[in-house]
Amino acid sequence: MPNHSKQLTHPKYRPDIDGLRAIAVLSVVVFHSFPSLISAGFIGVDIFFVISGFLISGIIFSNLEHDRFSLVEFYRRRINRIFPALLLVLISSFAFGWFVLLADEYKQLGKHIVGGAGFFSNILLWRESGYFDNAAELKPLLHLWSLAIEEQFYIFWPLLLAFVWKRKWSFVAITATVAVVSFAVNIYTIGKDTTASFFLPAPRFWELMIGGLLAYIALHKPHLNSQHKNAQSILGVVLLAIGMLLINKERAFPGWWALLPTLGAFFIISAGQKAWFNNHVLSNRLFVWFGLISYPLYLWHWPVLSFAHIIESETPSFEIRFGCVVISILLAWLTFRLIEKPIRFGKHGSTNALAMIFLMLVTGSTGYLCFKKSGFDGVEGYGRIWQPEKSRYISYFENSLPEWKYFTFMEIPKKFRDECNFYDIHKYRIGQATRIPIPKIDNSCYTRNTAYKNSVFIWGDSHAQQLNSGLKNNLPDSWQILQVASSGCIPNPSATQSSATDYCDHSNWFALKTINETKPDVVIVAQNGSHTLEKFEEVAIKLKEMGVKKVVFTGPTPHWTTNLPKIVVRKLLVNTPRRTYIGIDHQVLKANLELQQNFQNSEARIFVNIIDLFCDQEGCLTYLGDDNKTGITTWDYGHLSPIASNYLAKNLLVNLIIDGR
């Protein structure tokens, strides 16, 4: 690789590309702040990928072809571009978290700082993802996954192109090959593991390669871009608009859907700055200004919103979220003017880069220490134990897998969490391994015992599992409890075949098989969400065909916007109210009311309104008995504790199972 000059040539500045950056970053910011306004705002990240692929590939192609490329100079520029604002956000998040985060939250932040400093946040988040993972809103550095993919591209792409150039292979051929292979990986993984398809670089690199192909066309076939520039620009806008309208979080994304924003960005960039839309809209001074601060704005907006969510213990009000956006824009502008520009464009570029590397190593090491020290839990000094009663309270509810300390403290036998939970063992068999130890399943959960006169079968997800404890304590001895409940798997009456690839399909198939073989008197169908009358009807018809005489459908439990113990420790610890609406998810209450009003009860089909049992005009129960720890009703966002499961069974479920009252 030649190194005749330390100065790399760059393409001519295009204000319309900064305007496109503005659209990308503002769509992401609005989506995160006001998701009801723009359900597909997250596709702004895909637009960024195309822009990065176009600009970086153009720089590398041009400098290699003119014998001016230097890896050292390339990486120096990348460091001075990426590191300053990122360091500021990482350090600020760490400092702010010291005062507002609980130990487990601070520990996780430390791990994510390591991922952010090492540019492998996407790998960490992929490995963290799972049924018991923290909500996205509780991870202040969640958004760094996309920056990690770009940095991985910056490492991989110039090395590959330098290797290709040395052997005089075709740039366009290698770019197209990487694009096709990566897109194929994307389509394959989207059907197998949507989380991997979203977070990992291999299923995402094709988006940057689209920009790379455009860079090659701009360098060697510019006439292709100039023939129909206005049509290209309009086509790009239409594709982006369609993507914004049709794509949402329920779509299998990226998959085929990601073609809309990526091709939209491709056509807009290809049109050039002289196209009418590019010249009159994207090159507008306001759009260009937002484009210039787009990188620090992307970095700042999510931590500000996330910390607001954590402090409020629920989705912040419109006014608070609007204030967060304003603060993020201000911080982004200050970062751009005072940090980013001086370091990126100032003198002593090599010295600055070395200093940035050193600071990043220190920041990453500090994050690692925070992680290893469990968020400095119990460390003396202002900030971490300034309210020790909070630390003592929250430590009682630590549910770090695989210990499940909460159940240990509550003196619940180990078999309570393993028994009849079909999910745990079969998830391992199908290859979706988590850190949960493989349990031994008691076959009595699936086999009818003639010593019992009657039987009830529990079918559903973890919100079905939670019913077992209370029913065991309150059903008459003549009743046997059967169960097939798999965490994260809602009942599906159409799962009539065993599956070797989808543990939910496999679990539901096994549930139906067991029901058919054991002929239970009553089936309880319970799940976390997706409660619809249409689905209830499908399940009821299927079970009636199988000879089940009574089906009990449970509605949702009261849902809290974050873990109930954390709401208590942040807002309600002193004189904890027995009932409150603070932190309650009112959307769940509304959906439950609609179910209650429209469900037609009969002897064969009964709807159980759990929320009516736990909530009244004063609010929803936070604890039962005399202790706000041992009596807590929900140990996370909505799973009932054993004492609450017992309360539900005793006061509602048992009567409905036995005689329908």
Side-chain angles (χ1 to χ4, degrees):
M1 287 171 288
N3 191 14
H4 301 324
S5 171
K6 293 184 178 180
Q7 297 301 317
L8 300 181
T9 59
H10 285 68
K12 182 181 178 182
Y13 173 70
R14 285 180 52 179
D16 60 311
I17 291 182
D18 268 331
L20 186 59
R21 280 195 179 107
I23 290 178
V25 74
L26 291 175
S27 65
V28 172
V29 171
V30 173
F31 168 70
H32 285 154
S33 307
F34 313 104
S36 61
L37 296 180
I38 177 170
S39 63
F42 56 86
I43 67 175
V45 171
D46 305 88
I47 298 173
F48 274 127
F49 285 161
V50 177
I51 294 173
S52 294
F54 172 72
L55 295 176
I56 296 303
S57 297
I59 292 170
I60 300 173
F61 290 159
S62 177
N63 283 279
L64 280 172
E65 291 171 354
H66 289 87
D67 211 23
R68 296 173 58 89
F69 186 70
S70 165
L71 271 176
V72 173
E73 176 67 5
F74 176 82
Y75 290 132
R76 181 189 71 79
R77 286 177 174 270
R78 289 297 91 204
I79 289 168
N80 286 339
R81 167 76 169 112
I82 299 297
F83 280 33
L86 177 61
L87 275 167
L88 181 60
V89 170
L90 291 177
I91 294 170
S92 300
S93 298
F94 184 78
F96 192 74
W98 177 271
F99 298 101
V100 302
L101 296 182
L102 301 170
D104 64 319
E105 297 166 338
Y106 205 44
K107 176 183 178 180
Q108 184 180 69
L109 179 67
K111 181 172 68 168
H112 290 174
I113 286 175
V114 177
F119 300 106
F120 55 88
S121 295
N122 56 330
I123 308 297
L124 283 182
L125 293 165
W126 168 59
R127 291 177 61 84
E128 281 180 6
S129 63
Y131 190 74
F132 294 101
D133 186 24
N134 284 337
E137 293 82 1
L138 306 181
K139 298 180 178 183
L141 299 178
L142 175 76
H143 63 320
L144 296 187
W145 71 268
S146 62
L147 183 61
I149 287 179
E150 288 207 17
E151 288 300 305
Q152 289 155 13
F153 166 73
Y154 295 152
I155 294 171
F156 153 79
W157 192 228
L159 293 174
L160 177 61
L161 289 181
F163 178 83
V164 167
W165 177 251
K166 188 175 182 179
R167 283 153 182 78
K168 301 188 183 302
W169 295 348
S170 168
F171 282 156
V172 69
I174 195 67
T175 305
T177 299
V178 174
V180 170
V181 171
S182 175
F183 186 76
V185 173
N186 160 49
I187 296 303
Y188 176 78
T189 55
I190 199 70
K192 303 290 183 181
D193 187 345
T194 55
T195 305
S197 184
F198 191 88
F199 282 124
L200 296 186
R204 286 287 195 167
F205 273 174
W206 66 272
E207 301 185 47
L208 293 119
M209 292 300 102
I210 285 182
L213 289 171
L214 181 56
Y216 186 87
I217 294 171
L219 284 172
H220 298 286
K221 306 284 185 181
H223 63 280
L224 296 177
N225 288 335
S226 59
Q227 292 178 351
H228 308 286
K229 54 182 180 293
N230 284 323
Q232 291 163 218
S233 180
I234 292 172
L235 176 59
V237 172
V238 169
L239 289 173
L240 288 184
I242 293 173
M244 292 290 182
L245 290 172
L246 297 184
I247 297 173
N248 53 51
K249 292 190 293 185
E250 280 66 51
R251 303 288 190 190
F253 196 87
W256 292 96
W257 288 102
L259 286 171
L260 288 171
T262 52
L263 291 181
F266 175 94
F267 285 115
I268 290 174
I269 298 171
S270 72
Q273 65 188 80
K274 292 184 179 180
W276 186 92
F277 181 81
N278 296 38
N279 186 36
H280 290 81
V281 179
L282 294 181
S283 298
N284 175 279
R285 291 181 64 181
L286 183 61
F287 273 114
V288 170
W289 185 80
F290 272 107
L292 290 172
I293 67 166
S294 60
Y295 174 56
L297 178 55
Y298 181 79
L299 290 181
W300 277 115
H301 86 282
W302 181 252
V304 173
L305 286 167
S306 178
F307 277 119
H309 191 106
I310 291 169
I311 293 170
E312 290 294 304
S313 296
E314 59 186 348
T315 301
S317 66
F318 178 91
E319 291 77 14
I320 291 176
R321 283 176 284 149
F322 183 80
C324 288
V325 172
V326 173
I327 291 171
S328 300
I329 294 172
L330 177 61
L331 289 171
W333 178 73
L334 291 172
T335 303
F336 174 73
R337 287 295 302 273
L338 304 178
I339 305 293
E340 188 176 324
K341 280 186 69 176
I343 294 176
R344 183 182 178 190
F345 299 112
K347 299 178 180 179
H348 315 296
S350 297
T351 303
N352 289 338
L354 291 174
M356 293 297 102
I357 292 173
F358 174 75
L359 287 174
M360 194 64 78
L361 287 172
V362 172
T363 302
S365 299
T366 305
Y368 182 74
L369 181 64
C370 178
F371 173 70
K372 294 300 290 184
K373 293 294 184 180
S374 298
F376 299 118
D377 188 21
V379 174
E380 293 187 5
Y382 182 74
R384 296 312 300 158
I385 60 166
W386 50 286
Q387 288 182 307
E389 70 277 9
K390 290 187 175 183
S391 180
R392 287 194 297 268
Y393 182 88
I394 204 64
S395 66
Y396 184 85
F397 297 98
E398 184 180 345
N399 287 283
S400 302
L401 297 175
E403 292 88 356
W404 292 78
K405 293 180 182 179
Y406 170 71
F407 290 113
T408 304
F409 293 161
M410 292 293 291
E411 299 180 353
I412 299 299
K414 181 180 179 181
K415 69 177 183 176
F416 171 75
R417 61 179 185 269
D418 291 341
E419 188 175 32
C420 299
N421 293 350
F422 186 78
Y423 156 89
D424 297 314
I425 188 167
H426 288 276
K427 188 173 185 182
Y428 266 87
R429 288 179 177 173
I430 296 175
Q432 304 289 331
T434 67
R435 290 183 291 276
I436 305 173
I438 300 177
K440 294 180 180 179
I441 301 298
D442 186 349
N443 288 335
S444 66
C445 301
Y446 316 135
T447 306
R448 184 70 182 266
N449 187 337
T450 55
Y452 294 94
K453 182 179 179 181
N454 305 102
S455 66
V456 57
F457 187 96
I458 303 173
W459 180 22
D461 57 15
S462 58
H463 284 251
Q465 295 172 4
Q466 66 187 355
L467 306 178
N468 191 300
S469 175
L471 290 177
K472 278 196 173 215
N473 293 335
N474 292 280
L475 272 175
D477 293 338
S478 60
W479 282 77
Q480 180 188 6
I481 299 176
L482 302 164
Q483 178 175 312
V484 174
S486 301
S487 302
C489 301
I490 65 174
N492 178 13
S494 302
T496 56
Q497 292 184 339
S498 174
S499 174
T501 57
D502 190 311
Y503 69 89
C504 284
D505 282 348
H506 191 66
S507 173
N508 283 313
W509 160 79
F510 188 75
L512 293 170
K513 175 177 177 291
T514 305
I515 292 171
N516 192 51
E517 292 172 351
T518 58
K519 307 297 182 186
D521 300 281
V522 180
V523 172
I524 299 178
V525 179
Q527 60 201 66
N528 175 38
S530 302
H531 302 86
T532 67
L533 295 176
E534 293 76 14
K535 184 59 68 173
F536 285 171
E537 181 68 16
E538 289 179 25
V539 171
I541 291 173
K542 180 67 177 180
L543 294 179
K544 182 179 180 180
E545 292 173 352
M546 299 172 71
V548 177
K549 297 178 180 178
K550 183 189 296 183
V551 182
V552 176
F553 293 98
T554 65
T557 60
H559 278 39
W560 306 84
T561 52
T562 187
N563 293 353
L564 177 58
K566 291 185 177 180
I567 294 174
V568 171
V569 82
R570 283 201 164 95
K571 291 180 173 289
L572 310 171
L573 189 56
V574 179
N575 298 321
T576 306
R578 190 171 294 277
R579 294 179 180 272
T580 184
Y581 275 118
I582 295 175
I584 275 289
D585 188 336
H586 289 274
Q587 291 299 113
V588 175
L589 301 187
K590 180 180 178 181
N592 179 75
L593 180 61
E594 292 178 359
L595 282 173
Q596 174 69 34
Q597 291 174 342
N598 294 296
F599 191 95
Q600 300 296 321
N601 280 326
S602 67
E603 291 185 5
R605 305 177 190 182
I606 300 172
F607 177 77
V608 178
N609 193 330
I610 297 177
I611 286 177
D612 266 8
L613 179 65
F614 283 88
C615 306
D616 61 18
Q617 292 182 347
E618 297 180 5
C620 299
L621 283 169
T622 57
Y623 70 99
L624 297 161
D626 300 323
D627 193 318
N628 66 352
K629 281 192 302 188
T630 60
I632 197 99
T633 55
T634 303
W635 57 268
D636 63 353
Y637 71 90
H639 291 93
L640 298 179
S641 62
I643 194 171
S645 176
N646 192 73
Y647 179 77
L648 171 61
K650 182 178 181 180
N651 291 281
L652 192 57
L653 279 183
V654 168
N655 285 340
L656 293 175
I657 291 170
I658 294 176
D659 56 18
R661 292 199 303 270

